Amino acid sequence: GWYGFDLFPYREDIRRAAELSIRNVEDMRRIALKIDPAVLKERQARGDAIESHEYMRDLLFGNLAQD
């Protein structure tokens, strides 16, 4: 597969902008790999969107979600 970045860095350094985008995708991939499909499906099956959202929020923000 491949990733495409919709970058238009008129004032920014193109290399730095691309490197930052790559790091962002790598970080999002690491977070996505932490999702337990069984846990998410079970929460979704209960029909409680807030509970599903909280599960994802904890994965995305970790300790920040507690503040």
Side-chain angles (χ1 to χ4, degrees):
W2 56 274
Y3 295 98
F5 301 113
D6 192 17
L7 298 175
F8 297 92
Y10 298 109
R11 291 181 218 100
E12 298 80 22
D13 178 313
I14 184 67
R15 181 178 179 166
R16 287 182 58 214
E19 288 172 347
L20 180 59
S21 293
I22 290 167
R23 286 196 338 250
N24 288 341
V25 169
E26 289 170 345
D27 288 344
M28 287 185 276
R29 185 175 183 279
R30 276 192 285 279
I31 291 169
L33 290 171
K34 292 180 181 180
I35 297 170
D36 183 334
V39 170
L40 187 56
K41 284 180 185 178
E42 179 252 320
R43 290 176 184 215
Q44 290 172 330
R46 287 199 294 253
D48 186 342
I50 298 297
E51 191 175 356
S52 298
H53 185 113
E54 287 176 334
Y55 174 67
M56 295 304 298
R57 181 174 168 74
D58 287 345
L59 291 175
L60 288 168
F61 301 111
N63 292 335
L64 293 175
Q66 303 305 318
D67 292 342

PDB file of all heavy atoms in Angstrom, residues 38-56:
ATOM      1  N   ALA A  38     -12.546  -6.922  19.451  1.00  0.00           N
ATOM      2  CA  ALA A  38     -13.598  -7.563  20.256  1.00  0.00           C
ATOM      3  C   ALA A  38     -14.163  -6.586  21.278  1.00  0.00           C
ATOM      4  O   ALA A  38     -15.385  -6.530  21.483  1.00  0.00           O
ATOM      5  CB  ALA A  38     -13.048  -8.811  20.942  1.00  0.00           C
ATOM      6  N   VAL A  39     -13.313  -5.823  21.923  1.00  0.00           N
ATOM      7  CA  VAL A  39     -13.773  -4.845  22.906  1.00  0.00           C
ATOM      8  C   VAL A  39     -14.617  -3.774  22.221  1.00  0.00           C
ATOM      9  O   VAL A  39     -15.706  -3.423  22.694  1.00  0.00           O
ATOM     10  CB  VAL A  39     -12.578  -4.198  23.645  1.00  0.00           C
ATOM     11  CG1 VAL A  39     -13.028  -3.022  24.494  1.00  0.00           C
ATOM     12  CG2 VAL A  39     -11.859  -5.231  24.503  1.00  0.00           C
ATOM     13  N   LEU A  40     -14.132  -3.255  21.096  1.00  0.00           N
ATOM     14  CA  LEU A  40     -14.866  -2.212  20.407  1.00  0.00           C
ATOM     15  C   LEU A  40     -16.220  -2.725  19.903  1.00  0.00           C
ATOM     16  O   LEU A  40     -17.248  -2.063  20.084  1.00  0.00           O
ATOM     17  CB  LEU A  40     -14.038  -1.656  19.246  1.00  0.00           C
ATOM     18  CG  LEU A  40     -14.621  -0.446  18.529  1.00  0.00           C
ATOM     19  CD1 LEU A  40     -14.901   0.695  19.498  1.00  0.00           C
ATOM     20  CD2 LEU A  40     -13.686   0.005  17.418  1.00  0.00           C
ATOM     21  N   LYS A  41     -16.242  -3.916  19.328  1.00  0.00           N
ATOM     22  CA  LYS A  41     -17.504  -4.477  18.834  1.00  0.00           C
ATOM     23  C   LYS A  41     -18.497  -4.705  19.961  1.00  0.00           C
ATOM     24  O   LYS A  41     -19.692  -4.460  19.820  1.00  0.00           O
ATOM     25  CB  LYS A  41     -17.241  -5.789  18.094  1.00  0.00           C
ATOM     26  CG  LYS A  41     -16.667  -5.594  16.722  1.00  0.00           C
ATOM     27  CD  LYS A  41     -16.433  -6.927  16.035  1.00  0.00           C
ATOM     28  CE  LYS A  41     -15.748  -6.717  14.702  1.00  0.00           C
ATOM     29  NZ  LYS A  41     -15.461  -7.987  14.022  1.00  0.00           N
ATOM     30  N   GLU A  42     -17.998  -5.176  21.102  1.00  0.00           N
ATOM     31  CA  GLU A  42     -18.869  -5.432  22.248  1.00  0.00           C
ATOM     32  C   GLU A  42     -19.496  -4.127  22.736  1.00  0.00           C
ATOM     33  O   GLU A  42     -20.690  -4.056  23.020  1.00  0.00           O
ATOM     34  CB  GLU A  42     -18.058  -6.113  23.352  1.00  0.00           C
ATOM     35  CG  GLU A  42     -18.830  -6.416  24.612  1.00  0.00           C
ATOM     36  CD  GLU A  42     -18.422  -5.509  25.755  1.00  0.00           C
ATOM     37  OE1 GLU A  42     -17.226  -5.232  25.896  1.00  0.00           O
ATOM     38  OE2 GLU A  42     -19.322  -5.079  26.487  1.00  0.00           O
ATOM     39  N   ARG A  43     -18.696  -3.076  22.794  1.00  0.00           N
ATOM     40  CA  ARG A  43     -19.221  -1.776  23.229  1.00  0.00           C
ATOM     41  C   ARG A  43     -20.197  -1.207  22.210  1.00  0.00           C
ATOM     42  O   ARG A  43     -21.215  -0.629  22.571  1.00  0.00           O
ATOM     43  CB  ARG A  43     -18.078  -0.817  23.495  1.00  0.00           C
ATOM     44  CG  ARG A  43     -17.289  -1.223  24.738  1.00  0.00           C
ATOM     45  CD  ARG A  43     -16.097  -0.365  24.982  1.00  0.00           C
ATOM     46  NE  ARG A  43     -15.366  -0.897  26.127  1.00  0.00           N
ATOM     47  CZ  ARG A  43     -14.742  -0.154  27.003  1.00  0.00           C
ATOM     48  NH1 ARG A  43     -14.725   1.150  26.880  1.00  0.00           N
ATOM     49  NH2 ARG A  43     -14.104  -0.712  28.001  1.00  0.00           N
ATOM     50  N   GLN A  44     -19.888  -1.378  20.937  1.00  0.00           N
ATOM     51  CA  GLN A  44     -20.798  -0.911  19.893  1.00  0.00           C
ATOM     52  C   GLN A  44     -22.114  -1.691  19.926  1.00  0.00           C
ATOM     53  O   GLN A  44     -23.182  -1.121  19.707  1.00  0.00           O
ATOM     54  CB  GLN A  44     -20.141  -1.026  18.525  1.00  0.00           C
ATOM     55  CG  GLN A  44     -19.005  -0.037  18.334  1.00  0.00           C
ATOM     56  CD  GLN A  44     -18.220  -0.285  17.060  1.00  0.00           C
ATOM     57  OE1 GLN A  44     -18.109  -1.415  16.585  1.00  0.00           O
ATOM     58  NE2 GLN A  44     -17.651   0.777  16.511  1.00  0.00           N
ATOM     59  N   ALA A  45     -22.028  -2.987  20.192  1.00  0.00           N
ATOM     60  CA  ALA A  45     -23.231  -3.831  20.214  1.00  0.00           C
ATOM     61  C   ALA A  45     -24.196  -3.402  21.315  1.00  0.00           C
ATOM     62  O   ALA A  45     -25.406  -3.581  21.183  1.00  0.00           O
ATOM     63  CB  ALA A  45     -22.839  -5.295  20.403  1.00  0.00           C
ATOM     64  N   ARG A  46     -23.656  -2.840  22.384  1.00  0.00           N
ATOM     65  CA  ARG A  46     -24.527  -2.357  23.466  1.00  0.00           C
ATOM     66  C   ARG A  46     -25.250  -1.077  23.083  1.00  0.00           C
ATOM     67  O   ARG A  46     -26.158  -0.634  23.781  1.00  0.00           O
ATOM     68  CB  ARG A  46     -23.708  -2.141  24.744  1.00  0.00           C
ATOM     69  CG  ARG A  46     -23.299  -3.442  25.407  1.00  0.00           C
ATOM     70  CD  ARG A  46     -22.905  -3.233  26.858  1.00  0.00           C
ATOM     71  NE  ARG A  46     -21.701  -2.447  27.017  1.00  0.00           N
ATOM     72  CZ  ARG A  46     -20.519  -2.943  27.384  1.00  0.00           C
ATOM     73  NH1 ARG A  46     -20.386  -4.238  27.623  1.00  0.00           N
ATOM     74  NH2 ARG A  46     -19.477  -2.168  27.527  1.00  0.00           N
ATOM     75  N   GLY A  47     -24.819  -0.464  21.990  1.00  0.00           N
ATOM     76  CA  GLY A  47     -25.493   0.739  21.506  1.00  0.00           C
ATOM     77  C   GLY A  47     -25.194   1.995  22.290  1.00  0.00           C
ATOM     78  O   GLY A  47     -25.910   2.978  22.175  1.00  0.00           O
ATOM     79  N   ASP A  48     -24.136   1.950  23.086  1.00  0.00           N
ATOM     80  CA  ASP A  48     -23.764   3.109  23.887  1.00  0.00           C
ATOM     81  C   ASP A  48     -22.596   3.818  23.197  1.00  0.00           C
ATOM     82  O   ASP A  48     -21.437   3.439  23.353  1.00  0.00           O
ATOM     83  CB  ASP A  48     -23.378   2.672  25.295  1.00  0.00           C
ATOM     84  CG  ASP A  48     -23.117   3.846  26.238  1.00  0.00           C
ATOM     85  OD1 ASP A  48     -22.905   4.974  25.749  1.00  0.00           O
ATOM     86  OD2 ASP A  48     -23.119   3.615  27.452  1.00  0.00           O
ATOM     87  N   ALA A  49     -22.904   4.847  22.422  1.00  0.00           N
ATOM     88  CA  ALA A  49     -21.874   5.556  21.662  1.00  0.00           C
ATOM     89  C   ALA A  49     -20.842   6.216  22.572  1.00  0.00           C
ATOM     90  O   ALA A  49     -19.656   6.290  22.224  1.00  0.00           O
ATOM     91  CB  ALA A  49     -22.511   6.600  20.752  1.00  0.00           C
ATOM     92  N   ILE A  50     -21.278   6.666  23.735  1.00  0.00           N
ATOM     93  CA  ILE A  50     -20.354   7.329  24.656  1.00  0.00           C
ATOM     94  C   ILE A  50     -19.302   6.330  25.154  1.00  0.00           C
ATOM     95  O   ILE A  50     -18.116   6.645  25.232  1.00  0.00           O
ATOM     96  CB  ILE A  50     -21.102   7.957  25.848  1.00  0.00           C
ATOM     97  CG1 ILE A  50     -22.082   9.031  25.354  1.00  0.00           C
ATOM     98  CG2 ILE A  50     -20.132   8.525  26.879  1.00  0.00           C
ATOM     99  CD1 ILE A  50     -21.431  10.210  24.671  1.00  0.00           C
ATOM    100  N   GLU A  51     -19.731   5.133  25.478  1.00  0.00           N
ATOM    101  CA  GLU A  51     -18.783   4.111  25.944  1.00  0.00           C
ATOM    102  C   GLU A  51     -17.763   3.777  24.852  1.00  0.00           C
ATOM    103  O   GLU A  51     -16.565   3.657  25.127  1.00  0.00           O
ATOM    104  CB  GLU A  51     -19.542   2.859  26.375  1.00  0.00           C
ATOM    105  CG  GLU A  51     -18.676   1.867  27.107  1.00  0.00           C
ATOM    106  CD  GLU A  51     -19.466   0.681  27.632  1.00  0.00           C
ATOM    107  OE1 GLU A  51     -20.700   0.644  27.497  1.00  0.00           O
ATOM    108  OE2 GLU A  51     -18.818  -0.215  28.188  1.00  0.00           O
ATOM    109  N   SER A  52     -18.211   3.640  23.608  1.00  0.00           N
ATOM    110  CA  SER A  52     -17.291   3.379  22.488  1.00  0.00           C
ATOM    111  C   SER A  52     -16.335   4.548  22.297  1.00  0.00           C
ATOM    112  O   SER A  52     -15.145   4.359  22.082  1.00  0.00           O
ATOM    113  CB  SER A  52     -18.074   3.147  21.196  1.00  0.00           C
ATOM    114  OG  SER A  52     -18.902   2.023  21.309  1.00  0.00           O
ATOM    115  N   HIS A  53     -16.881   5.745  22.397  1.00  0.00           N
ATOM    116  CA  HIS A  53     -16.067   6.949  22.245  1.00  0.00           C
ATOM    117  C   HIS A  53     -15.002   7.026  23.339  1.00  0.00           C
ATOM    118  O   HIS A  53     -13.843   7.356  23.069  1.00  0.00           O
ATOM    119  CB  HIS A  53     -16.970   8.185  22.284  1.00  0.00           C
ATOM    120  CG  HIS A  53     -16.264   9.459  22.028  1.00  0.00           C
ATOM    121  ND1 HIS A  53     -16.488  10.210  20.914  1.00  0.00           N
ATOM    122  CD2 HIS A  53     -15.326  10.125  22.741  1.00  0.00           C
ATOM    123  CE1 HIS A  53     -15.715  11.287  20.948  1.00  0.00           C
ATOM    124  NE2 HIS A  53     -15.006  11.247  22.057  1.00  0.00           N
ATOM    125  N   GLU A  54     -15.388   6.722  24.571  1.00  0.00           N
ATOM    126  CA  GLU A  54     -14.438   6.763  25.677  1.00  0.00           C
ATOM    127  C   GLU A  54     -13.310   5.753  25.481  1.00  0.00           C
ATOM    128  O   GLU A  54     -12.152   6.037  25.799  1.00  0.00           O
ATOM    129  CB  GLU A  54     -15.142   6.532  27.012  1.00  0.00           C
ATOM    130  CG  GLU A  54     -15.959   7.723  27.447  1.00  0.00           C
ATOM    131  CD  GLU A  54     -16.747   7.480  28.713  1.00  0.00           C
ATOM    132  OE1 GLU A  54     -17.080   6.309  29.014  1.00  0.00           O
ATOM    133  OE2 GLU A  54     -17.046   8.468  29.396  1.00  0.00           O
ATOM    134  N   TYR A  55     -13.637   4.570  24.956  1.00  0.00           N
ATOM    135  CA  TYR A  55     -12.612   3.560  24.675  1.00  0.00           C
ATOM    136  C   TYR A  55     -11.595   4.111  23.683  1.00  0.00           C
ATOM    137  O   TYR A  55     -10.385   4.031  23.897  1.00  0.00           O
ATOM    138  CB  TYR A  55     -13.262   2.277  24.150  1.00  0.00           C
ATOM    139  CG  TYR A  55     -12.266   1.229  23.697  1.00  0.00           C
ATOM    140  CD1 TYR A  55     -11.448   0.607  24.628  1.00  0.00           C
ATOM    141  CD2 TYR A  55     -12.148   0.878  22.371  1.00  0.00           C
ATOM    142  CE1 TYR A  55     -10.526  -0.358  24.227  1.00  0.00           C
ATOM    143  CE2 TYR A  55     -11.239  -0.081  21.963  1.00  0.00           C
ATOM    144  CZ  TYR A  55     -10.427  -0.690  22.888  1.00  0.00           C
ATOM    145  OH  TYR A  55      -9.510  -1.632  22.492  1.00  0.00           O
ATOM    146  N   MET A  56     -12.089   4.693  22.598  1.00  0.00           N
ATOM    147  CA  MET A  56     -11.194   5.242  21.577  1.00  0.00           C
ATOM    148  C   MET A  56     -10.423   6.451  22.116  1.00  0.00           C
ATOM    149  O   MET A  56      -9.239   6.617  21.834  1.00  0.00           O
ATOM    150  CB  MET A  56     -11.986   5.624  20.328  1.00  0.00           C
ATOM    151  CG  MET A  56     -12.614   4.444  19.618  1.00  0.00           C
ATOM    152  SD  MET A  56     -11.408   3.167  19.144  1.00  0.00           S
ATOM    153  CE  MET A  56     -10.371   4.089  18.024  1.00  0.00           C
TER     154      MET A  56
END
